[in-house]
Each structure stands twice: as structure tokens, then as C-alpha cells.
């Protein structure tokens, strides 16, 4: 705040440890916040006061911080995280979809010239088509529940970005699908596929061995839980490089 960093074009990530006064500064400067529930849980950082931010009228969006590419998954995790943290089964029902469908669009609209997040003439035509067969009646009053419990990213059939069809009926139209080794998957022979699978198994095996060895050593040394992660990472890198860990 004192360095004039906060403002309408500033996006704050996580905001786990903020206090009441800092929330007021965020609101006063019209600064934006993005919540990344899986990242916070995966790093054992704690649960941010996201529901309070939304209730204060602070523009808040929903992100992933790289933990997933599936925004529906992030919605599901945020929904149960805040219910658990607040010991309130009614929490997050309305706030999280508001963050995802309204907050994210408003955040993006502060950076992009073409209007986003709406279907109307002149706006960017960003659309996904999802193959979802509701087994119970679905209407405007319960659509959020259907999306939350019935839909995931793997059900997307068609993707349109700014009016351009990127994927249609699960076929990607804008690039060649290649495997991790740079070869066309369809062109690989059965023998080549088998070799690549075996190489992957070897890599996974090395990682598992290094993980087991370093976990046992951490127990022997009495290392705290956080130190074990750093120890395992160092030994795993040494094993992957074919060197004996020191």
C-alpha cells in the first residue's frame, strides 16, 4: 500500500495471512484477489479468508496455481475447503461460482479490450460445449448443483476461443497431437510404444526408490515433516541423474 502497488490492475494471489485492516486496504484500492484452493492445501499453507473477501465486495476470482487445468475441479475443492474450514455446510455454495463465472470475467476484462465472459454481439466468443446428461431435472434454480456434482473438464466436447473453434467433437483442430517424445502418437509402432512405456516405468521406479530411501533416512534422523520434503527432493534428483546420493 505504501509503495502504491495496490490498485485496479493489481491481482493478489492467495492472500492467506491477511488481517482485517489489510482487507480494507485491498477494498479501498479496488485491488483484485485470486483464490487457489488446491495450491493452498497442497502446500499446507492454510485456508485464506476468501468468503470474507467476497462478502466485503472485493473482486475475487478462482484459479489453480498450476495444480490442475480443470476449473470444475478447482470449484469442487474450493466448495468443500471452505465448508470444512468454517465448519459450515452452507458456506461457499454461492460465493465460489460467483468467483468462477463472474469474478474471473471481471478480472480479465480489466486487462483485455474485448469484452469477455458474456455471449453477446461484439464480445469475444469464448464457449465450451459439455456432454452432460442430467439424471434429474435441471433448470436455472439448480444448475450450479448439476455443474458442481455432475460435470468435469473431461466432458468438454468442443472449445471455441474468440470465435475460433480450437476443438470440435474432441478433435483438436489447431495443432498436431504429439506424445512427450515429440513423435506423432498415431505413427508410433507397437514396439516403439512399448519401449516408451518401459522408459517411463524405469523413471518412476527410480523416483519411488529414492523416495523410500530418503523417507527412511528422515525417520532415522528424526527430521520434521517439512525437512523431509527437501531431503526427498535432493535425493530424487541425484537418483534421476544416475548418481549415488551422498
Amino acid at each position: 500500500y505504501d509503495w502504491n502497488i495496490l490498485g485496479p490492475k493489481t491481482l493478489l494471489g492467495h492472500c492467506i495471512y491477511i488481517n482485517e485492516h489489510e482487507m480494507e486496504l485491498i477494498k479501498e484500492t479496488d485491488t483484485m484477489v485470486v483464490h487457489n484452493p488446491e495450491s493452498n492445501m497442497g502446500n499446507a499453507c492454510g485456508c485464506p479468508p476468501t468468503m470474507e473477501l467476497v462478502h466485503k465486495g472485493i473482486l475475487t476470482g478462482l484459479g489453480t496455481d498450476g495444480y490442475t487445468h480443470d476449473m470444475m475441479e478447482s470449484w469442487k475443492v474450493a466448495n468443500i475447503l471452505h465448508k470444512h474450514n468454517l465448519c459450515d455446510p452452507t458456506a461457499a455454495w454461492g460465493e465460489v461460482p460467483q468467483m468462477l463465472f463472474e469474478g474471473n470475467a471481471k478480472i480479465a476484462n480489466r486487462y483485455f479490450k474485448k469484452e469477455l465472459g458474456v455471449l453477446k454481439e461484439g464480445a469475444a466468443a469464448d464457449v465450451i460445449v459439455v456432454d452432460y446428461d442430467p439424471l434429474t431435472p435441471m433448470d436455472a434454480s439448480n444448475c450450479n448443483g448439476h455443474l458442481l456434482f455432475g460435470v468435469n473438464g473431461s466432458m468438454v466436447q468442443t472449445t471455441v476461443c474468440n470465435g475460433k473453434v480450437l476443438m470440435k467433437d474432441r478433435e483438436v483442430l489447431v495443432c498436431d497431437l504429439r506424445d512427450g517424445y515429440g513423435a506423432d502418437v498415431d505413427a508410433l509402432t507397437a514396439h516403439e510404444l512399448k519401449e516408451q512405456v518401459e522408459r517411463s516405468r524405469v523413471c518412476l521406479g527410480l523416483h519411488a526408490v529414492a523416495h523410500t530411501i530418503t523417507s527412511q533416512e528422515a525417520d532415522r534422523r528424526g527430521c520434521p515433516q517439512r525437512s523431509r520434503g527437501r531431503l526427498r527432493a535432493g535425493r530424487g534428483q541425484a537418483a534421476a541423474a544416475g548418481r549415488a546420493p551422498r
Side-chain angles (χ1 to χ4, degrees), residues 14-16 34-51 62-64 67 72-93 95-96 99 148-149:
H14 309 297
C15 290
I16 299 171
V34 61
H35 174 42
N36 308 284
E38 289 176 291
S39 176
N40 300 158
M41 295 173 70
N43 290 298
C45 297
C47 180
T50 309
M51 299 299 100
L62 182 65
T64 69
Y67 258 72
M72 305 304 293
E73 178 184 316
S74 193
W75 177 3
K76 288 176 172 66
V77 173
N79 177 65
I80 57 177
L81 169 62
H82 292 284
K83 284 177 167 57
H84 177 75
N85 182 64
L86 298 171
C87 296
D88 180 1
T90 68
W93 281 118
E95 293 88 346
V96 177
M99 292 156 54
L148 177 63
F149 296 113

Side-chain angles (χ1 to χ4, degrees), residues 188-208:
L188 290 175
T189 66
H191 178 70
E192 290 170 330
L193 282 172
K194 183 178 179 181
E195 284 187 340
Q196 292 189 7
V197 168
E198 289 301 324
R199 285 201 296 270
S200 299
R201 287 176 177 171
V202 169
C203 292
L204 289 172
L206 284 172
H207 177 76

Side-chain angles (χ1 to χ4, degrees), residues 86-132:
L86 298 171
C87 296
D88 180 1
T90 68
W93 281 118
E95 293 88 346
V96 177
Q98 175 186 327
M99 292 156 54
L100 174 57
F101 296 116
E102 299 177 26
N104 282 7
K106 291 178 180 178
I107 289 172
N109 280 321
R110 292 195 180 184
Y111 299 106
F112 296 93
K113 294 180 179 179
K114 183 171 285 191
E115 190 174 5
L116 306 171
V118 294
L119 294 177
K120 70 176 187 181
E121 186 176 355
D126 297 332
V127 182
I128 60 171
V129 178
V130 176
D131 182 13
Y132 173 58

Side-chain angles (χ1 to χ4, degrees), residues 162-233:
N162 198 23
K164 182 177 182 180
V165 180
L166 306 182
M167 180 177 72
K168 183 177 181 181
D169 297 328
R170 302 293 296 175
E171 180 184 357
V172 178
L173 305 178
V174 292
C175 65
D176 294 330
L177 292 179
R178 296 177 179 273
D179 73 334
Y181 297 90
D184 290 327
V185 174
D186 291 339
L188 290 175
T189 66
H191 178 70
E192 290 170 330
L193 282 172
K194 183 178 179 181
E195 284 187 340
Q196 292 189 7
V197 168
E198 289 301 324
R199 285 201 296 270
S200 299
R201 287 176 177 171
V202 169
C203 292
L204 289 172
L206 284 172
H207 177 76
V209 170
H211 178 91
T212 302
I213 292 173
T214 51
S215 294
Q216 293 171 347
E217 185 168 341
D219 289 332
R220 182 175 60 80
R221 293 182 181 182
C223 294
Q225 194 66 29
R226 289 186 179 273
S227 298
R228 296 183 188 184
R230 291 191 293 270
L231 181 62
R232 282 197 293 266

Side-chain angles (χ1 to χ4, degrees), residues 19-36:
N19 57 36
E20 187 72 24
H21 173 62
E22 290 165 335
M23 291 186 206
E24 293 302 325
L25 294 179
I26 293 172
K27 181 176 176 58
E28 176 187 328
T29 55
D30 196 21
T31 300
M32 305 170 289
V33 175
V34 61
H35 174 42
N36 308 284

